[in-house]
Amino acid sequence: MSFEQIYLHYYTRMKCFAQEYVLSEADAENILQDVFADFWENREILQTHINVIAFLFTAIRNRSIDYLRRRMKEQEVLEHLQEEYVLTMKINMESLVALDEHFFYREDIEKIIQKAIDVLPEKCRQIFIMNKIEGKKQKDIAVELNISVNTIETQMGIAYKKLKEELKNLYPLFLFLFCL
């Protein structure tokens, strides 16, 4: 039998076989394309006396197993990510529920925030105040202080990290006031 005869004769049966396991018609067709491409590349096999049905069956079986293993691993990763997302959502919801709305009316909040800002290293504090309190853009601050924008970004990262630590009990307020 020629390659074309084998392809025409076995394609439908092999597609049905693959689709029974991989479920998707498109995925079954992709598997068959790969199998027949390999078969074509190794067409000298046609000149030997091999059992074509056994060869195709084994190739499709192996490709289907590989496909299913890959899909199962992808599904496990997706489920893990979904679990992490749900856990984060629960934590965020609990954090908001626990947040006392009267907390925002405390008169000493400004003092607490100012104290946290005052703890920042001098240059870091200056850049943070210019950016978040005075509303200046990083590019303008870089020009004014004669430093690079990368330095501004680095100092802002340091400021956020230190303020987050200092205001850990006030983290929702920190996010509200200085949204990253």
Side-chain angles (χ1 to χ4, degrees):
M1 260 195 218
S2 71
F3 176 82
E4 184 178 336
Q5 290 171 325
I6 292 170
Y7 182 86
L8 293 173
H9 187 73
Y10 292 110
Y11 183 85
T12 303
R13 285 187 255 172
M14 294 299 171
K15 179 180 155 190
C16 183
F17 172 74
Q19 189 173 345
E20 185 67 28
Y21 293 96
V22 299
L23 305 177
S24 163
E25 182 177 357
D27 292 331
E29 288 174 352
N30 288 335
I31 288 170
L32 281 173
Q33 286 177 350
D34 291 344
V35 167
F36 278 111
D38 287 347
F39 192 57
W40 173 254
E41 289 173 4
N42 298 305
R43 59 189 171 277
E44 65 273 357
I45 293 172
L46 293 172
Q47 296 170 354
T48 64
H49 297 296
I50 66 159
N51 183 338
V52 174
I53 293 174
F55 176 85
L56 292 174
F57 170 79
T58 302
I60 291 169
R61 174 189 165 272
N62 291 342
R63 293 271 180 163
S64 296
I65 289 170
D66 291 345
Y67 167 83
L68 291 170
R69 282 184 180 143
R70 189 173 53 252
R71 292 290 297 165
M72 287 172 53
K73 187 66 176 170
E74 289 170 359
Q75 191 61 38
E76 288 173 10
V77 169
L78 287 174
E79 287 172 7
H80 179 71
L81 290 174
Q82 183 66 26
E83 288 172 11
E84 286 183 10
Y85 178 75
V86 168
L87 181 61
T88 300
M89 295 291 285
K90 286 180 181 178
I91 290 169
N92 288 346
M93 185 179 75
E94 290 171 9
S95 174
L96 286 172
V97 167
L99 185 62
D100 181 9
E101 64 186 62
H102 299 291
F103 171 81
F104 293 105
Y105 297 111
R106 289 177 39 187
E107 293 179 15
D108 60 344
I109 287 179
E110 285 185 31
K111 291 178 187 172
I112 294 169
I113 293 171
Q114 188 58 52
K115 184 178 176 184
I117 292 171
D118 289 343
V119 172
L120 295 173
E122 183 180 339
K123 195 61 131 181
C124 187
R125 180 176 61 247
Q126 179 186 15
I127 291 170
F128 182 83
I129 289 171
M130 291 173 81
N131 183 250
K132 290 299 177 184
I133 301 198
E134 296 173 8
K136 293 182 180 179
K137 295 183 181 192
Q138 290 184 358
K139 189 170 79 172
D140 297 333
I141 297 169
V143 169
E144 187 175 330
L145 298 179
N146 196 28
I147 55 178
S148 73
V149 173
N150 285 340
T151 301
I152 301 294
E153 290 172 357
T154 301
Q155 290 299 313
M156 289 299 292
I158 292 169
Y160 283 133
K161 184 178 178 184
K162 290 186 179 286
L163 288 173
K164 185 177 178 180
E165 290 170 10
E166 286 291 319
L167 299 170
K168 64 183 167 233
N169 296 332
L170 308 172
Y171 188 66
L173 179 63
F174 171 74
L175 286 175
F176 181 74
L177 295 174
F178 306 112
C179 187
L180 310 174

